Structures are given as structure tokens and as C-alpha cells.
Amino acid sequence: MKLPDYLLCFCLALPLAAGAQPTKPFRELTAVAPAVDFTSFRLEARGGEVRINNSTDDSIRVEVRMTMKAIPDEEAEQRLDRIQILDTIGEGRWSWRTDLDGMELEWLVRVLDIRYEVFLPINLPLEVVQRNGNLVVADRDAPVWIDLRFGDLSAGCLSANGNRVEVQFGEASLACLGKGELTLTAGSCWLGEARSLKLRASGAEFRARHLDQWTIEAHAGQYKADYVGLMTGRMTSSQLTVDTLDQEVDLTLTLMANSYISLSPNAQALSIDADLAPLRIRYPKDRLLDLDLEGKAHDLAELDIDDLPRPESLPDDKLRYRSQWGEARTAESPLRIQVRTRGGKVRIEK
């Protein structure tokens, strides 16, 4: 590890233990530096576990411990000697990375226990790349960028704007994401809340409690939210459940397994283009509807709508129900529902 001269006094490197050592060969390293000298922190890890904690002072502290297991001590010591923990400083960023010296990561993670404990001020931007290992992140007030593959993520409240989180082949749990982007591939995620979430997902399972604004691009998987304010996007070959949609939704759904959206008394508009996508919509029974519904007769499975207007006949045996009588009967703005369906059952119920 190479550090500027003014940081050397903060660093402690313990060589490989010998003699009265713990049961397995290990190496440890500790480095500390004033946080005021940096504008961001980056870590690129390989295997093991990374924990990002909030510091109690104005410093950055990095602690690394590597322990070899399941192989003879002599070989373990040789391999530990080959692993390097490197750092660089440039343009205000303190960057750290694990260099495995060409050793195969997929094999090494079975015999190497490597742990990073990092302590940062809560308002310092953070970037973490982790492969074949787990990541734990405390609450953060500054933007966080996470790229995690083959591992699990547990994070507190990432409250800033501009967060970016990508998880491939792993599980994620986040208390909140503020405003940001989340990419899931063949994994799962539980999210407490977000002011604005852009979700890209494939083959994933996603569950959220409260999303003020949700933009989704998803292929395959299951996606559920207890509460959504505004929702837009495209989905294919998926399942969608929204227990409470509070304002507006604009979606394109294709080859869906099923979709369920329940509109709150405050909802203003729903617009859905559904192609081979069964759709169930629940709306408040005391709301008048501004309806524009089009589909073949056998696709309109259930329409629980008072004073449903007579349908118009369209080519290809389609029917279209249109009404704007809600505006004429009350000063309150009606709930606008626009649905186009092709080959998927539609149910609209109170």
C-alpha cells in the first residue's frame, strides 16, 4: 500500500502472524486519514464481507483482516503474501481495491475470509464494487453507488439524491433510497421507501412499502408495492401488484402473468395498454369514472361500473366504452380510467 507521507503516521500493517498465532494464518491492516482531505471514497472488493460504518469523528478509517482456512498453513501463508490491498488518491477520491494477483476468485472465496471495516463521515459520497461477497452499509446522507454481484446487500437509509444500486444474483434489503436508480438481475430486493425510484429488473423479485414515484422497466419476475404515488413504465412476462395507487399510473404491459392495481380515493388517472396481460383494477365505490375502455367482448370479463354506457362497435369484434358524464354530474374531477386490452382478461371492480 502506498500513501502520501502525511498519511503514513496513521497506518499500521501487521505482518503474517507466526508462532503463537490464532488457529489460522491471517494478515491485518489499518489506515486512518482526515476526511477533510477527500471528496469521496471508493472500494473495489473481492469476496468476503464489506461493512461501511459511520465514523464518530472527522476521519476515514479502513480496517482489513484476511484469514485463510481449509488449506495447509504453509500454502495459506504463501497465498496471503500474494494478496495485496492497494490504495490510490486522485482528484479528491481515496480509492481502495483488493488485488488477488491472478488467483481465481471463485476458488479463493472458499478458503479466504476477507473483511473490510470502513468508517466514513455520513456526508461523504461512497462507491463500492463487490464481487462474490456481502455488503453492509449504514445510513448515508451523501450519494451512494453500489455494484454488487454474487452477494447480499443490507443497507440503512440512503437518503440522498443520485443513488445508484445494482445487484446481480443476490438479495438486497434497503431501508430507503431517497431518489435514485435500482437495477436487479436474477435476485430479490425489499425496499422500505423512496421519494423517486427508477427500477430496471430482469428475473427478479421486488417488494416495496412506500414509493412516492416509481418508474419501472421489468422483464420476468414479481413486483409488488404497498403504496405508490405516481407510476410509469413497461413490463413484460411479470406479475405486478400495487395495493394502493394514490395519484396516477401509466403502464404498458405485455405477456403478463397477472396485474392488480387498487386505486385510492385520491387517484386521478389510470392509463394502461395491455397485450396478453390479464388486468384487475379496483377503484373507490364513491368515485365517478371518466371511462375509455377498449377490447374484445370476451376479454372484458367484469365491469362493475354504475350506469355503464352502451359500447361502440369497432372492427375486429372490438367494443369501446366511453363516458365523460362524471364531469357533467359533479364539480369534483372524475377518476379517469383508460385501458386498451388485447388478449387479456380485464376486471374493473369497486
Side-chain angles (χ1 to χ4, degrees):
M1 185 180 71
K2 296 180 180 180
L3 294 174
D5 291 341
Y6 75 95
L7 289 176
L8 289 177
C9 60
F10 295 101
C11 299
L12 171 65
L14 301 180
L16 188 69
Q21 62 180 16
T23 55
K24 293 297 179 182
F26 75 97
R27 285 173 57 198
E28 290 182 341
L29 178 147
T30 300
V32 185
V36 69
D37 294 337
F38 303 99
T39 57
S40 65
F41 182 90
R42 185 179 193 274
L43 171 61
E44 185 175 338
R46 294 291 184 270
E49 181 175 89
V50 174
R51 301 184 68 91
I52 306 296
N53 310 286
N54 292 327
S55 58
T56 57
D57 53 26
D58 295 328
S59 69
I60 299 174
R61 182 181 181 90
V62 181
E63 301 175 358
V64 188
R65 181 182 175 95
M66 297 177 289
T67 305
M68 279 290 183
K69 56 188 179 181
I71 58 176
D73 287 357
E74 183 177 353
E75 180 184 355
E77 293 174 4
Q78 293 174 354
R79 291 188 178 275
L80 281 174
D81 284 339
R82 292 175 59 182
I83 298 172
Q84 298 186 69
I85 307 300
L86 304 175
D87 83 291
T88 57
I89 296 174
E91 299 181 352
R93 172 188 287 176
W94 198 5
S95 298
W96 289 72
R97 68 183 179 90
T98 304
D99 185 350
L100 301 179
D101 191 28
M103 288 183 286
E104 183 180 358
L105 176 59
E106 288 72 13
W107 173 84
L108 200 58
V109 294
R110 297 197 294 268
V111 299
L112 173 65
D113 181 18
I114 179 168
R115 295 179 180 271
Y116 278 86
E117 287 276 356
V118 181
F119 298 84
L120 303 173
I122 195 171
N123 59 354
L124 187 71
L126 168 69
E127 182 176 358
V128 180
V129 177
Q130 169 68 305
R131 297 290 182 268
N132 293 77
N134 299 327
L135 173 62
V136 179
V137 181
D139 296 347
R140 305 295 301 165
D141 290 344
V144 174
W145 302 277
I146 293 173
D147 182 355
L148 175 65
R149 298 182 188 179
F150 299 101
D152 298 336
L153 167 66
S154 178
C157 188
L158 312 181
S159 60
N161 295 335
N163 294 303
R164 297 198 306 270
V165 177
E166 181 175 356
V167 177
Q168 298 186 37
F169 306 102
E171 298 181 1
S173 176
L174 300 94
C176 76
L177 197 56
K179 181 178 181 180
E181 301 179 5
L182 174 61
T183 301
L184 295 175
T185 303
S188 65
C189 177
W190 181 89
L191 172 61
E193 60 183 64
R195 293 191 304 275
S196 178
L197 173 68
K198 185 172 185 179
L199 174 65
R200 298 184 182 93
S202 178
E205 182 177 348
F206 174 80
R207 172 72 183 268
R209 187 179 67 239
H210 185 112
L211 304 175
D212 289 334
Q213 186 171 344
W214 188 12
T215 301
I216 183 170
E217 297 179 9
H219 172 73
Q222 302 179 28
Y223 306 90
K224 185 180 190 315
D226 297 339
Y227 171 94
V228 179
L230 300 171
M231 183 175 185
T232 61
R234 296 176 175 270
M235 303 180 68
T236 61
S237 305
S238 304
Q239 298 183 44
L240 172 67
T241 302
V242 178
D243 288 336
T244 301
L245 193 291
D246 196 50
Q247 298 179 44
E248 297 185 8
V249 59
D250 186 353
L251 291 172
T252 299
L253 307 176
T254 306
L255 293 171
M256 297 289 286
N258 57 66
S259 302
Y260 170 75
I261 298 176
S262 179
L263 301 169
S264 84
N266 301 319
Q268 302 169 20
L270 176 145
S271 178
I272 294 180
D273 190 320
D275 189 0
L276 295 173
L279 178 61
R280 180 183 168 208
I281 300 167
R282 182 180 291 274
Y283 71 97
K285 62 181 181 181
D286 58 346
R287 291 294 301 273
L288 294 176
L289 302 184
D290 182 350
L291 182 67
D292 188 347
L293 172 62
E294 181 181 312
K296 292 190 175 182
H298 65 268
D299 289 331
L300 307 178
E302 181 181 347
L303 302 177
D304 185 10
I305 300 172
D306 296 337
D307 301 323
L308 185 68
R310 293 176 61 88
E312 306 171 28
S313 295
L314 300 176
D316 299 326
D317 297 323
K318 289 184 179 180
L319 300 177
R320 186 176 187 184
Y321 293 89
R322 288 193 295 179
S323 68
Q324 295 180 337
W325 38 257
E327 294 179 353
R329 293 177 55 179
T330 178
E332 181 183 356
S333 298
L335 171 58
R336 299 189 305 277
I337 293 182
Q338 178 178 311
V339 175
R340 298 287 184 270
T341 182
R342 293 174 295 279
K345 300 294 183 182
V346 173
R347 290 175 169 81
I348 302 177
E349 58 192 40
K350 296 178 184 177

